[in-house]
Amino acid sequence: MKYFFRSVILLLLLPLVSQAQSELDTLSLESIFYEPLLAGNRPDFTAFSPDLSRIYYQANDSAKTEEKYYTVDLNGQNKDTTSARFKSVFRVSPDGSKLTYSDEGDIWIADTNFTNKTRLVSSELSEYDPTWGPESQRIAYIQEGNAWILNTQTSELRQVTNKKEEEPDFSILDWAGSNKLVLSQWDTSDYEEYYFPEYVGEKVQTGATRRGIPTQLISVAYLDSSKVEVMHKQKGYLDTDISASGPYLAIDVLDAPMKKREIIVFDLEEPKETAVFEDSTQGWFYGTDLNFSPEGNKLMFFSEQDGWNHIYSVDPDGSNLQKHTEGEFEVSWAEWISNHRIVFASSETGPGERHLYTLNTQTNEIQKLTSRAGYRQDFKLSRDHRYLVYKYTYFNEPFELYALDLENPKEVRLTHTIPDRFKNIDWQREDYIRFTSRDRETELSMSVLEPLDIQPERDYPVVVFVHGAGSLQNVYKGWSNSYPREYMFHQYLTAHGYYVMEVDYRHSTGYGREFREDVTNWMGKYETRDIIDGINYLAKHYPQADTSSTGIYGGSYGGFMALYATSVAPEYFDAAAALRAVTNWENYYNTNPWYTLPRLGKPSQDSIHYDRSSPIGYVDQLEDPVLILHGLTDNNVGFQDAAQYIEKLVQAGDKEFEMMMYPSERHSFEDPDAWYDEYSRIFEFFEEHLK
């Protein structure tokens, strides 16, 4: 009845809310979760224009969820909507004269302004993935899982592969010179079937899906002999690149547990293969990447071999292995801009920032390109290697798209999508803190927001937010790209008398291999210690923070951590809200083994790792109230986890808990009503148990 009454009041107030949006100066749950979006619709880069004078991006000027395509010059001028002719996925020919794309299940060719379009391939079947050959005349594409080639000058059509019906489909990686095509296949034949039932339709649907770890195959089709040769087959993960002139194919091989890595270079002319780099770890690999120089054969790759992700290079025969960057910082992205120069992003200034640099691989001279403090990510380099487009943010400044001309490195803001109403709110700048954990060695990053209008001699409760994914960074000097709603919700909490803190616990990315891998075989243990160290830091340095009244919440991995930490350390936590939480890691292994196997092993062999990492095994230790929130059709962390955990709570007989399921929501909610309801419950839960 309480929820029904609140919903009615909300419906009555909605016209008043929308009428007051332009003059909004305080936060409300309605303004956070309903349209128009308070922070606007963050722009997403789509592509450079074929002539490289501008970019296409997605956004919505009206701050609505539904996005539109826009274009803007690389100097930030002449913003406009795209024409109806524009296609968001296209490929420009190597000579820059034409572009190709798939549309309506057919292959098309057009001028670079999307005019004079011609349907090249038309059939009742579906054609996709068109890829230009190096001479800008032939186009390779996929039809019914097989590779074909069409000569646009002679109209000659040729089938390259002829797979059996039960064999996996081919996809095109790229051409290797003019007479070879590199192809890949994903064999999922040993996947198992699982179910995520759907209840809101006329009939209950099983929600059947098949999950597992793929076997990947890399093949080369020799066009002058009609031979298709499998170069490598691996149950695990493969990344590839092809040298510019085509003789070399590099394959970065990770086994299924992500603990062994080998980079193999194939000379397709000889033919022969050479293992140019090997590495292994007790944890799991992360952030691997490789690519050849634009015109030569030098291979650049990332490695954490010394504990931090750095840039290396090697010749195709395995000689001249060099390490080009050094230090206790992470290189998060890099690409060649010439045969001897690389542009890259790193955290050398500090883990809360990302700046851009260039590297001369012959002299190892490094030049810093950016100076403004902030966080940069999602880098896109133009095909002429001159322009870089990326997202930039700083405290309380939502991400916008920026460009950098590498020949004249000055940052230019391309988009202006933050609504005026966002600027009417007096956003509190969080404290960004680096402190040392209890082991006196591990450095941790933490953010703190204080209650608004703090009164003397009064204490205030604390809410701890725990980010999801595990392997993710969320404490940095900027607006959260992963948790924009939570970013605003935390400011809402401060207006209602809470301290809000977050720690990038061990397992988070951006802090080196050891920091991430410490949690291997026991997830929850070190993360809880790091969060408690953050609470103790808060108690010491913020005297009005009442850490004896502390709530914790998060979603997915953050939901797992909320339940785990509250169970194993009840003296530090007084209430936990768990959204779409993993409660039993064996369930997650069954449906998402790619994530769980590297971290915990196999349940059949490593059951102790699963038992001590799963909150469902700690229900008897739970002393504080918990709130369980889960989408019923979640096909990432299935509702099975919530159901099993709730059953344990019921059977225990002495546990205080609340729960709400959302019948039509998956792991990432889409309905604003569901978001609003979820966070209203979290707020009321903390109001009841922390005050």
Side-chain angles (χ1 to χ4, degrees):
M1 191 67 183
K2 177 181 178 183
Y3 172 62
F4 174 78
F5 179 76
R6 186 180 69 214
S7 300
V8 172
I9 293 297
L10 171 61
L11 290 172
L12 292 173
L13 289 178
L14 280 178
L16 298 178
V17 170
S18 59
Q19 184 177 2
Q21 295 295 348
S22 61
E23 299 178 358
L24 184 72
D25 61 3
T26 57
L27 275 175
S28 68
L29 292 179
E30 290 87 348
S31 65
I32 292 173
F33 296 109
Y34 284 100
E35 293 183 345
L37 304 175
L38 182 54
N41 194 301
R42 298 296 83 237
D44 291 309
F45 174 89
T46 300
F48 287 96
S49 65
D51 64 1
L52 303 180
S53 65
R54 60 195 186 281
I55 67 163
Y56 303 110
Y57 66 95
Q58 285 181 278
N60 191 318
D61 275 0
S62 301
K64 303 290 186 180
T65 301
E66 185 178 353
E67 294 183 325
K68 304 174 184 177
Y69 286 106
Y70 295 87
T71 182
V72 64
D73 291 349
L74 283 164
N75 61 8
Q77 302 298 313
N78 300 318
K79 175 196 163 186
D80 199 359
T81 55
T82 58
S83 71
R85 300 188 304 268
F86 168 72
K87 301 300 177 184
S88 60
V89 179
F90 60 88
R91 294 188 179 183
V92 180
S93 60
D95 64 8
S97 64
K98 295 286 184 178
L99 53 84
T100 185
Y101 55 90
S102 61
D103 187 31
E104 300 175 355
D106 294 325
I107 305 298
W108 298 73
I109 191 172
D111 292 341
T112 54
N113 61 357
F114 298 95
T115 60
N116 296 323
K117 64 178 183 178
T118 302
R119 193 191 308 253
L120 291 179
V121 182
S122 177
S123 75
E124 295 181 357
L125 303 175
S126 176
E127 294 87 27
Y128 55 92
D129 199 18
T131 307
W132 287 101
E135 76 291 337
S136 299
Q137 293 184 358
R138 290 176 295 171
I139 295 175
Y141 65 91
I142 299 295
Q143 181 189 79
E144 288 290 287
N146 277 305
W148 294 68
I149 293 178
L150 173 67
N151 190 313
T152 62
Q153 303 299 312
T154 66
S155 298
E156 177 189 358
L157 184 62
R158 175 182 177 184
Q159 184 172 349
V160 176
T161 62
N162 189 19
K163 77 177 190 68
K164 297 178 181 178
E165 184 176 353
E166 69 274 11
E167 293 177 337
D169 291 350
F170 285 95
S171 61
I172 298 169
L173 293 178
D174 209 343
W175 294 71
S178 60
N179 64 345
K180 301 178 188 69
L181 200 61
V182 182
L183 307 167
S184 71
Q185 293 168 283
W186 283 56
D187 184 353
T188 62
S189 58
D190 64 349
Y191 278 23
E192 295 186 21
E193 194 166 52
Y194 296 94
Y195 301 92
F196 300 94
E198 301 174 8
Y199 294 90
V200 295
E202 183 177 346
K203 294 183 179 180
V204 176
Q205 303 294 320
T206 64
T209 182
R210 298 178 70 250
R211 300 290 178 89
I213 296 175
T215 295
Q216 291 186 254
L217 298 87
I218 305 297
S219 302
V220 173
Y222 295 86
L223 304 181
D224 52 2
S225 66
S226 300
K227 180 178 72 171
V228 178
E229 180 182 2
V230 176
M231 309 303 293
H232 194 82
K233 182 178 180 180
Q234 173 89 32
K235 189 177 182 65
Y237 310 96
L238 306 179
D239 188 18
T240 63
D241 197 41
I242 304 163
S243 61
S245 54
Y248 297 109
L249 164 66
I251 305 180
D252 198 345
V253 181
L254 291 181
D255 64 351
M258 298 185 184
K259 298 184 187 300
K260 293 183 179 180
R261 181 188 186 193
E262 184 179 32
I263 299 177
I264 306 170
V265 176
F266 294 85
D267 185 335
L268 302 180
E269 299 293 340
E270 292 289 338
K272 67 177 183 179
E273 63 182 81
T274 305
V276 300
F277 183 78
E278 295 181 356
D279 195 8
S280 63
T281 180
Q282 296 299 309
W284 70 94
F285 287 103
Y286 182 88
T288 58
D289 194 14
L290 82 169
N291 55 70
F292 282 103
S293 53
E295 297 176 0
N297 297 320
K298 184 73 75 173
L299 181 67
M300 180 264 288
F301 63 93
F302 287 169
S303 173
E304 291 181 313
Q305 198 167 53
D306 75 343
W308 297 85
N309 220 26
H310 283 295
I311 298 173
Y312 293 72
S313 69
V314 68
D315 289 339
D317 61 1
S319 62
N320 296 320
L321 176 65
Q322 298 180 62
K323 181 182 178 185
H324 295 287
T325 55
E326 183 82 38
E328 293 187 355
F329 61 88
E330 175 182 274
V331 175
S332 54
W333 173 87
E335 280 200 30
W336 295 93
I337 52 178
S338 71
N339 281 342
H340 305 296
R341 293 180 69 225
I342 291 171
V343 59
F344 69 94
S346 88
S347 60
E348 184 173 7
T349 302
E353 298 187 35
R354 292 294 184 275
H355 284 276
L356 288 162
Y357 306 79
T358 54
L359 162 71
N360 185 315
T361 58
Q362 293 180 316
T363 64
N364 279 347
E365 178 184 357
I366 293 175
Q367 178 185 359
K368 189 178 181 189
L369 302 179
T370 54
S371 57
R372 184 183 177 192
Y375 196 85
R376 297 164 178 85
Q377 66 178 43
D378 295 345
F379 304 96
K380 308 294 181 183
L381 184 65
S382 61
R383 70 178 188 278
D384 65 355
H385 305 133
R386 176 173 175 176
Y387 295 100
L388 194 61
V389 173
Y390 48 89
K391 294 178 179 178
Y392 168 85
T393 181
Y394 195 56
F395 293 114
N396 297 330
E397 297 177 19
F399 280 92
E400 294 279 16
L401 294 179
Y402 279 69
L404 192 69
D405 181 348
L406 297 175
E407 294 184 4
N408 180 26
K410 179 182 178 181
E411 288 187 290
V412 176
R413 182 172 171 176
L414 300 181
T415 58
H416 298 266
T417 62
I418 303 171
D420 289 339
R421 53 195 289 273
F422 175 89
K423 303 170 187 176
N424 290 338
I425 294 178
D426 186 16
W427 298 95
Q428 180 187 167
R429 173 168 164 169
E430 64 190 34
D431 294 338
Y432 175 83
I433 299 161
R434 292 281 288 166
F435 70 98
T436 305
S437 71
R438 69 184 72 181
D439 63 13
R440 299 184 181 180
E441 294 180 358
T442 305
E443 292 293 316
L444 298 169
S445 294
M446 172 177 167
S447 66
V448 175
L449 288 167
E450 298 187 77
L452 299 182
D453 302 321
I454 292 181
Q455 302 299 313
E457 300 180 359
R458 179 184 169 188
D459 293 336
Y460 297 86
V462 176
V463 170
V464 178
F465 174 66
V466 189
H467 72 69
S471 299
L472 180 119
Q473 182 180 3
N474 198 52
V475 177
Y476 51 78
K477 299 178 182 180
W479 180 266
S480 176
N481 196 43
S482 300
Y483 297 98
R485 296 176 182 86
E486 288 79 358
Y487 193 106
M488 294 184 283
F489 178 64
H490 297 162
Q491 303 254 350
Y492 177 82
L493 289 175
T494 65
H496 289 81
Y498 292 91
Y499 279 87
V500 182
M501 57 164 280
E502 178 183 2
V503 176
D504 263 352
Y505 48 80
R506 269 172 285 186
H507 196 170
S508 300
T509 55
Y511 305 97
R513 174 187 278 189
E514 182 180 355
F515 189 93
R516 185 185 70 254
E517 293 184 342
D518 271 350
V519 307
T520 307
N521 298 335
W522 193 342
M523 295 196 295
K525 175 183 177 181
Y526 287 106
E527 299 96 313
T528 299
R529 290 184 183 180
D530 294 343
I531 292 169
I532 290 173
D533 287 349
I535 293 172
N536 290 333
Y537 182 97
L538 187 76
K540 182 178 180 180
H541 294 86
Y542 294 80
Q544 290 181 259
D546 181 8
T547 55
S548 68
S549 184
T550 297
I552 182 172
Y553 92 100
S556 196
Y557 199 93
F560 147 69
M561 278 304 307
L563 296 177
Y564 183 97
T566 304
S567 300
V568 303
E571 67 274 24
Y572 284 94
F573 302 99
D574 302 281
L579 297 64
R580 52 196 180 275
V582 176
T583 69
N584 183 344
W585 282 108
E586 188 169 346
N587 293 339
Y588 206 70
Y589 173 85
N590 290 333
T591 56
N592 296 281
W594 56 269
Y595 182 95
T596 321
L597 176 63
R599 292 162 172 81
L600 296 178
K602 295 182 178 180
S604 59
Q605 300 172 3
D606 307 295
S607 59
I608 188 174
H609 302 163
Y610 284 80
D611 291 343
R612 66 190 182 187
S613 299
S614 297
I616 199 166
Y618 296 93
V619 168
D620 289 343
Q621 297 176 218
L622 190 66
E623 299 178 7
D624 302 303
V626 295
L627 171 64
I628 309 297
L629 302 159
H630 213 116
L632 190 58
T633 62
D634 190 333
N635 56 2
N636 181 3
V637 181
F639 188 76
Q640 178 185 22
D641 277 65
Q644 290 178 348
Y645 193 80
I646 292 166
E647 177 66 11
K648 284 281 188 179
L649 293 172
V650 171
Q651 294 302 320
D654 61 348
K655 308 303 177 185
E656 184 179 356
F657 71 94
E658 302 174 31
M659 70 83 60
M660 179 62 183
M661 65 179 179
Y662 297 88
S664 61
E665 295 297 332
R666 296 201 182 277
H667 197 62
S668 297
F669 283 17
E670 294 184 358
D671 184 2
D673 291 318
W675 278 108
Y676 176 85
D677 181 88
E678 184 176 49
Y679 278 78
S680 295
R681 292 176 186 273
I682 295 170
F683 177 71
E684 292 175 2
F685 181 72
F686 287 146
E687 286 283 282
E688 178 181 354
H689 295 289
L690 301 182
K691 289 185 176 180

